[in-house]
C-alpha cells in the first residue's frame, strides 16, 4: 500500500530540510566516504548480502545509526535491516529497498551517488574474484575508449594550463603520443 502524505506533512518536511539539515550531495566523494565510515563498527552491520554492503547503503544516502539500523541525514528516516531469512530469500530487492526507504520528497530517493563510488576492484571474468591487475587492464581499456571518443569531437572547451601534466599522463595511459589532440 502506498503511504499517503498530507500537504501539511510535506510542507513541514520541506521546512525541516531548509533549517540546517545536511544537504544531499550524491556526487561528493567526501560525503560518500563519511557515510561509509559510519559502518566502521562492523559488529553493528553483520552478515549482509552484497546489495546491502556499506558501500551500497552509502550510495543511497544511508548512515549506520546503530546495530542493524540505517538513517538518512536528509529526511531523518530510520530503517531496520531485514531479518536474515528475508535477505537470503530475496537479495535482488535491496537496491529498491534502499531507494524507496526515504520520505517522498527526500533528494536521495531518486538521486543516488554514482555506482563507480562503490567499485573497489573490478570483477574478474566469469565471476572470478577480482584482481588488481585485471582491474587495471579493464580500467585502462575504459580510459582508452573514452580518450578515443573525445578525439572524435570537433572541439573541447579550453582547459586550464595546470592540467597539462594530468592530460599528458592520461594520454600516456591511453597509449597516445601526447594530449595536444585534445585541445581545440
Amino acid at each position: 500500500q502506498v503511504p499517503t502524505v498530507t500537504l501539511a506533512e510535506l510542507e513541514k518536511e520541506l521546512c525541516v530540510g531548509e533549517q540546517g539539515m545536511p544537504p544531499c550531495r550524491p556526487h561528493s566523494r567526501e560525503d560518500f566516504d563519511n557515510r561509509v565510515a559510519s559502518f566502521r563498527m562492523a559488529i553493528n552491520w553483520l552478515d549482509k548480502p552484497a546489495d546491502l554492503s556499506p558501500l551500497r547503503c552509502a550510495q543511497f544516502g544511508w548512515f549506520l545509526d546503530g546495530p542493524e539500523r540505517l538513517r538518512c541525514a536528509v529526511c531523518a528516516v530510520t530503517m531496520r535491516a531485514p531479518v536474515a531469512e528475508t535477505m537470503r530469500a530475496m537479495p535482488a530487492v535491496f537496491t529498491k529497498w534502499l531507494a524507496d526507504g526515504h520520505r517522498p520528497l527526500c533528494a536521495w530517493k531518486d538521486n543516488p551517488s554514482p555506482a563507480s563510488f562503490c567499485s573497489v576492484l573490478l570483477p574478474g571474468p566469469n565471476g572470478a574474484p577480482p584482481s588488481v591487475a585485471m582491474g587495471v587492464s579493464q580500467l585502462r581499456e575504459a580510459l582508452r575508449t573514452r580518450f578515443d571518443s573525445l578525439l572524435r569531437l570537433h572541439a573541447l572547451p579550453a582547459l586550464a594550463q595546470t592540467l597539462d601534466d594530468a592530460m599528458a599522463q592520461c594520454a600516456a595511459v591511453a597509449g597516445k603520443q601526447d594530449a595536444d589532440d585534445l585541445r581545440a
Side-chain angles (χ1 to χ4, degrees), residues 44-45 48 52 67-70 79-84 87 97:
N44 290 335
W45 198 249
K48 303 294 183 276
L52 280 179
E68 307 291 317
R69 190 174 61 238
L70 298 174
M79 296 193 313
R80 301 220 34 98
V83 293
M87 287 190 285
W97 182 75

Side-chain angles (χ1 to χ4, degrees), residues 9 13 30 37 43 53 59 61 67-68 82 96 105 115 123 129 143 171 173:
E9 290 172 327
E13 188 176 322
E30 181 180 351
I43 197 161
S53 72
Q59 179 187 9
E68 307 291 317
K96 185 170 175 33
L105 294 180
L143 179 61
V173 169

Side-chain angles (χ1 to χ4, degrees), residues 38 66 74 80 138 160 169 173 179:
S38 71
V74 174
R80 301 220 34 98
Q138 288 179 358
Q169 288 175 344
V173 169

